[in-house]
C-alpha cells in the first residue's frame, strides 16, 4: 500500500494545469448507457475512480477504452448484464449512477446498495424515490436495489429534499427517455450537473432550466451517443489554491473555469492570499500571515463541502480562531484528528469545527481516511516542520492525477513510497 513521505516546510512556486473534473466524468460515463453507439468524452482525467467506473461499464458489457485522454464508450453491442455488483460498488459509491440510465434504456437495473464512507452514511433514498416517481418499481433484496420499468418510464414530478448532486444526475438521466413531461424541483446546479444536462441536450434530450433549481424535461424516444469535453475540476483547482494558502508561495493555475471557482476564491482572499485571474488562469500568492475565516458549506453556488478539509488545513495556521461548518455532511471531519497529530488545535461540535491557529505544524505520521481529507493532510504536511508520512494514499489517487509529481514540480519535497 503506497504512502507519501513529505519533508517541510516548503513554499510552492510554479505552474500547474488543471485536469478534467472527476465529478463530471462519472455521470457522463453513466449517460453513455442511454444511447446506442460510441460516446466520446475528451479531457477525461486518469483517476482511480474513472478506472473503477470503466470496470463497471465493462462489467455491464460496454466496450470502453481511454485513448489520449479521450474516453470512448461503445454500447453498440447489447449489454450482457444490468447488475452493478457489490465488489465494484463498495469501492465507488458513484456506481449508483447506472440506476437511472439502465432503467431508462433497458427497463431493468440491479445495483448494490453503496455502503457508507469514512464520515458516515451516504443514503441513496432520493435516487430510488426519484426513479419511482417516474414509474419504476423499486425493491431491496440482499443488499441490492432491484428496479424494473417493464413498460418503460413515464414523466412525473419529484422534489429533492435535501439538494442532491447525485440524485439530480440520476433522475435527470432517467427522465430524458421517459414518456412525457417531468418536473424536477430543488435540483442541484453544480457545474458537473449542468455539464451532464448540456451533453444530454446536445445528444437530443429536451431539458430546460439547467443551472437553476427547477428542471423541465420532455422525454424523447432515443439519444445520439454523447460527445463532449469534460470541464476542469474545480475541486482540484481549489485544492492547489489552498496548497499555496497553507504553504505560502505563488502558483499559477491554467485550464480553470473561473465561474466555477468564485466561492473558493473568496475564502482564499479572506485567508490573506492575493488572487488574480485572467482567462482560464488563476494566480494565487501568499506572502504574509494567514487570517482566520468563517466558512459554511452549501450546495453550489455556495462554498463546496469538497473544499472544507483543505481550508481547515490553512485555518490551522491562521493567526486567530476560524469556524468551519459543514451543512451538507455534518460529520465530515475525520481529517481533524489527523491534523491534530500535526499540531493543529481543532474542536469539532455539531457539524462545526473551531480551529485555533498555531504558529507552526510539526511533521508526523498520519493516515488518510477519504479523498479530500487526504488532500488536506498532504497540504498540511508540506507546510509542517520536519518529516511526515501520509498513509493510505489510495484515497487521494481517487480524485487527483499524480498529485505527488505535480506538487514536487511546485517545489514540495514529497515522494511516493510502496510499503
Ligand atoms: C457528490 O456526492 C460528490 N460526488 C461529492 O464529492 C460531494 O461531496 C457531494 O456531491 C456534495 O457536493 C460525486 O459527484 C461523485 P449529494 P453525492 O447527494 O451526490 C443527502 C468528492 O470528494 N442525500 O449531493 O453523493 C446526503 O446525505 C465527493 O469528490 C440524501 O439524503 O452527494 C447529503 O447530506 C465526496 N439522500 C446531501 O444529500 C440521497 O439519496 C448532499 O449529498 C442522496 C443524498
Amino acid at each position: 500500500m503506497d504512502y507519501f513521505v513529505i519533508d517541510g516546510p516548503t513554499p510552492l512556486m510554479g505552474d500547474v494545469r488543471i485536469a478534467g473534473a472527476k465529478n463530471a466524468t462519472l455521470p457522463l460515463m453513466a449517460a453513455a448507457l442511454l444511447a446506442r453507439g460510441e460516446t466520446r468524452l475528451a479531457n477525461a482525467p486518469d483517476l482511480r475512480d474513472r478506472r473503477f467506473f470503466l470496470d463497471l461499464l465493462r462489467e455491464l458489457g460496454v466496450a470502453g477504452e481511454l485513448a489520449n485522454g479521450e474516453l470512448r464508450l461503445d454500447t453498440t453491442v447489447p449489454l450482457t448484464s444490468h447488475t452493478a455488483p457489490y465488489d465494484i460498488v463498495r469501492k465507488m459509491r458513484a456506481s449508483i449512477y447506472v440506476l437511472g440510465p439502465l432503467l431508462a434504456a433497458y427497463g431493468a437495473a440491479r445495483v448494490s446498495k453503496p455502503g457508507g464512507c469514512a464520515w458516515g452514511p451516504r443514503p441513496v433514498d432520493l435516487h430510488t424515490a426519484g426513479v419511482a416517481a417516474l414509474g419504476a418499481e423499486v425493491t431491496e433484496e440482499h443488499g441490492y436495489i432491484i428496479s424494473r420499468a417493464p413498460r418503460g418510464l413515464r414523466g412525473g414530478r419529484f422534489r429533492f429534499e435535501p439538494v442532491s448532486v447525485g440524485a439530480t444526475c440520476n433522475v435527470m438521466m432517467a427522465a430524458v427517455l421517459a414518456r412525457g413531461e417531468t418536473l424536477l424541483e430543488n435540483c442541484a446546479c453544480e457545474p458537473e450537473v449542468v455539464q451532464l444536462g448540456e451533453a444530454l441536450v446536445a445528444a437530443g434530450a429536451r431539458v430546460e432550466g439547467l443551472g437553476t433549481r427547477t428542471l423541465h424535461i420532455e422525454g424523447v424516444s432515443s439519444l445520439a451517443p454523447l460527445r463532449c469535453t469534460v470541464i476542469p475540476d474545480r475541486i482540484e483547482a481549489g485544492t492547489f489554491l489552498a496548497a499555496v494558502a497553507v504553504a505560502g508561495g505563488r502558483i499559477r493555475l491554467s485550464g480553470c473555469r473561473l465561474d466555477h471557482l468564485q466561492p473558493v476564491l473568496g475564502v482564499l482572499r479572506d485567508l490573506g492570499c492575493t488572487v488574480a485571474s485572467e482567462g482560464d488562469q488563476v494566480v494565487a500568492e501568499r506572502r504574509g500571515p494567514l487570517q482566520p475565516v468563517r466558512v459554511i458549506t452549501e450546495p453550489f453556488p455556495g462554498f463546496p463541502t469538497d473544499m472544507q478539509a483543505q481550508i481547515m488545513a490553512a485555518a490551522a495556521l491562521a493567526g486567530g480562531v476560524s469556524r468551519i461548518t459543514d451543512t451538507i455532511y455534518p460529520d465530515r471531519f475525520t481529517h481533524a484528528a489527523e491534523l491534530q497529530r500535526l499540531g493543529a488545535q481543532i474542536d469539532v461540535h455539531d457539524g462545526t469545527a473551531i480551529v485555533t491557529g498555531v504558529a507552526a505544524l510539526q511533521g508526523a505520521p498520519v493516515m488518510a481516511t477519504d479523498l479530500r481529507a487526504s488532500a488536506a493532510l498532504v497540504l498540511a504536511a508540506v507546510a509542517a516542520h520536519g518529516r511526515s508520512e501520509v498513509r493510505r494514499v489510495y484515497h487521494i489517487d481517487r480524485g487527483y492525477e499524480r498529485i505527488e509529481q505535480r506538487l514536487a514540480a511546485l517545489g514540495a519535497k514529497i515522494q511516493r513510497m510502496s510499503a
Side-chain angles (χ1 to χ4, degrees), residues 90-171:
R90 71 182 176 82
K91 290 182 281 192
M92 182 187 57
R93 59 180 313 283
S95 306
I96 190 74
Y97 277 146
V98 301
L99 174 67
L102 284 175
L103 274 173
Y106 297 91
R110 182 172 175 269
V111 182
S112 168
K113 281 189 75 173
C117 68
W119 64 79
R122 300 286 295 276
V124 291
D125 57 310
L126 294 175
H127 297 248
T128 51
V131 297
L134 303 182
E137 300 160 11
V138 181
T139 57
E140 290 187 15
E141 290 168 26
H142 305 296
Y144 277 81
I145 296 164
I146 315 283
S147 190
R148 292 169 10 91
R151 290 180 300 285
L153 296 174
R154 53 162 169 72
R157 179 169 186 167
F158 188 71
R159 178 180 178 80
F160 299 96
E161 197 53 62
V163 172
S164 163
V165 170
T168 301
C169 290
N170 226 338
V171 182

Side-chain angles (χ1 to χ4, degrees), residues 111-418:
V111 182
S112 168
K113 281 189 75 173
C117 68
W119 64 79
R122 300 286 295 276
V124 291
D125 57 310
L126 294 175
H127 297 248
T128 51
V131 297
L134 303 182
E137 300 160 11
V138 181
T139 57
E140 290 187 15
E141 290 168 26
H142 305 296
Y144 277 81
I145 296 164
I146 315 283
S147 190
R148 292 169 10 91
R151 290 180 300 285
L153 296 174
R154 53 162 169 72
R157 179 169 186 167
F158 188 71
R159 178 180 178 80
F160 299 96
E161 197 53 62
V163 172
S164 163
V165 170
T168 301
C169 290
N170 226 338
V171 182
M172 175 167 59
M173 287 190 280
V176 295
L177 291 183
R179 278 188 320 281
E181 307 271 337
T182 294
L183 175 65
L184 301 179
E185 296 175 295
N186 204 32
C187 298
C189 44
E190 269 70 1
E192 296 78 24
V193 178
V194 173
Q195 174 160 52
L196 173 65
E198 289 171 345
L200 291 170
V201 168
R206 294 191 190 136
V207 182
E208 289 181 5
L210 289 170
T212 75
R213 296 267 180 243
T214 302
L215 294 176
H216 292 266
I217 299 169
E218 185 183 337
V220 295
S221 55
S222 66
L223 290 181
L226 277 66
R227 293 278 193 283
C228 74
T229 299
V230 176
I231 56 173
D233 194 318
R234 60 192 170 99
I235 304 301
E236 176 179 273
T239 302
F240 278 105
L241 293 170
V244 81
V246 179
R250 182 180 189 278
I251 66 170
R252 176 173 48 194
L253 304 186
S254 58
C256 299
R257 277 284 300 269
L258 296 183
D259 53 332
H260 299 169
L261 282 172
Q262 291 315 312
V264 174
L265 300 185
V267 169
L268 286 160
R269 292 187 177 102
D270 294 347
L271 279 164
C273 298
T274 55
V275 182
S277 54
E278 187 179 348
D280 73 347
Q281 303 205 344
V282 176
V283 176
E285 185 170 10
R286 203 260 296 168
R287 298 275 180 222
L290 282 164
Q291 304 303 321
V293 289
R294 297 172 78 88
V295 171
I296 299 176
T297 69
E298 294 170 315
F300 194 88
F303 186 87
T305 174
D306 291 349
M307 279 299 303
Q308 179 257 104
Q310 299 91 311
I311 293 302
M312 189 182 291
L317 288 168
V321 178
S322 299
R323 288 176 66 89
I324 299 173
T325 299
D326 200 321
T327 65
I328 295 175
Y329 296 116
D331 296 324
R332 190 178 190 172
F333 291 109
T334 54
H335 42 283
E338 295 302 309
L339 288 169
Q340 285 166 343
R341 288 185 47 72
L342 299 172
Q345 289 184 17
I346 306 168
D347 206 13
V348 177
H349 285 296
D350 302 327
T352 293
I354 309 295
V355 186
T356 305
V358 294
L361 296 174
Q362 288 80 34
V366 290
M367 187 174 295
T369 53
D370 63 86
L371 167 55
R372 307 302 175 184
S374 43
L377 294 174
V378 169
L379 304 191
V382 170
H385 290 248
R387 173 157 290 190
S388 299
E389 288 184 1
V390 180
R391 299 196 171 279
R392 299 188 180 178
V393 294
Y394 59 83
H395 288 295
I396 206 166
D397 292 334
R398 301 188 57 158
Y400 299 93
E401 276 184 36
R402 308 180 320 284
I403 195 162
E404 76 278 8
Q405 294 174 19
R406 299 159 79 194
L407 284 172
L410 296 172
K413 295 188 181 68
I414 178 171
Q415 279 189 309
R416 179 185 292 258
M417 314 295 279
S418 292

